Amino acid sequence: MSTRLDHRNPLVFDTHELGRRPGALQRLSRTVDAPKDFGIEGVIGVPEGKPVKLDLRLESVMEGVLVTGTARASAEGECVRCLEPLRQEVAADFQEMFTYPDTDDRGRHAEPVDDAEDEDTLFLEDGLFDLEPVLRDAVVLALPMQPVCREDCAGLCPDCGIRLDDDPDHHHDAVDIRWAALQGLTDSLGTGEKDNMGGAEAGVDEKQEK
């Protein structure tokens, strides 16, 4: 069972002033604290408690109240290329219909609909509606899935992890694996020859002493 809406919740709005007069209009502006987990987890989001500015347009229609609005906030996250912290302003537009619980899709009086029969419909409850689910979906869609600190961020060096924007000339000399193997073979042969020469010289010295 769903819990009753609390009118003291800043994301719960009262539509009683509109009444049920189709065409009645109300404009609202409100700044609220961001709820918990407001964004894309582990990527980017609006920190809990940070301000979210809402500009809303509430319009009474036959079926219920049509809510159109924009949410603006400052999101924080981490650049996917260089892993540096970043901050990005986000503006999310949304529109949602909150239906009267005692009307059908044509605005006619009807029996209450069971939640299981129409899970996608959002209903008014005693003239109140909760904007949080709609707002959360809108903000998530407005946020980048792969945020970057700037479009031309060079990222990190794959060999040593240094931030390439801090050292544009940074590079590592590339060594062909085949040449590296040949060089290793050459070094080992050179070492063996030196050892043989050392043994030969020792033998010559022994003969001279005799």
Side-chain angles (χ1 to χ4, degrees):
M1 296 180 60
S2 60
T3 58
R4 294 182 62 84
L5 298 181
D6 184 356
H7 69 277
R8 294 169 296 182
N9 183 333
L11 286 174
V12 171
F13 291 82
D14 192 334
T15 67
H16 284 101
E17 288 188 18
L18 284 176
R20 289 202 177 188
R21 303 182 307 276
L25 186 67
Q26 184 179 11
R27 296 184 184 277
L28 298 172
S29 292
R30 182 181 295 182
T31 298
V32 301
D33 292 340
K36 185 179 180 180
D37 300 326
F38 199 51
I40 305 173
E41 185 178 359
V43 180
I44 188 172
V46 181
E48 183 178 4
K50 292 295 184 180
V52 180
K53 183 180 180 181
L54 302 174
D55 292 309
L56 304 178
R57 181 178 183 268
L58 280 55
E59 183 180 1
S60 179
V61 296
M62 290 293 293
E63 300 88 349
V65 176
L66 181 65
V67 179
T68 305
T70 301
R72 295 180 175 83
S74 181
E76 297 179 9
E78 188 178 80
C79 177
V80 296
R81 296 180 188 171
C82 68
L83 308 182
E84 288 293 310
L86 61 81
R87 179 175 296 177
Q88 180 175 326
E89 298 304 313
V90 58
D93 297 322
F94 53 88
Q95 185 176 72
E96 189 65 53
M97 171 69 75
F98 290 88
T99 305
Y100 296 126
D102 57 350
T103 59
D104 61 16
D105 58 359
R106 295 183 180 179
R108 300 175 301 192
H109 286 278
E111 294 298 323
V113 179
D114 185 76
D115 291 341
E117 297 178 8
D118 198 350
E119 296 179 353
D120 295 331
T121 301
L122 297 178
F123 291 98
L124 290 165
E125 181 182 306
D126 296 330
L128 305 175
F129 68 86
D130 184 4
L131 189 63
E132 182 175 339
V134 176
L135 186 60
R136 186 180 295 277
D137 290 345
V139 169
V140 168
L141 289 175
L143 291 170
M145 293 296 295
Q146 294 187 319
V148 292
C149 57
R150 65 172 194 267
E151 291 300 324
D152 60 348
C153 174
L156 303 176
C157 172
D159 294 319
C160 65
I162 189 174
R163 188 168 181 265
L164 296 177
D165 284 332
D166 295 334
D167 186 2
D169 297 326
H170 176 78
H171 70 280
H172 294 272
D173 293 330
V175 178
D176 192 308
I177 297 177
R178 294 168 298 178
W179 286 112
L182 183 60
Q183 181 63 45
L185 179 60
T186 302
D187 292 342
S188 64
L189 289 175
T191 302
E193 290 176 357
K194 290 180 179 180
D195 292 341
N196 292 336
M197 290 178 63
E201 290 175 356
V204 171
D205 293 340
E206 290 176 358
K207 290 180 180 180
Q208 289 178 349
E209 290 179 357
K210 292 179 178 179

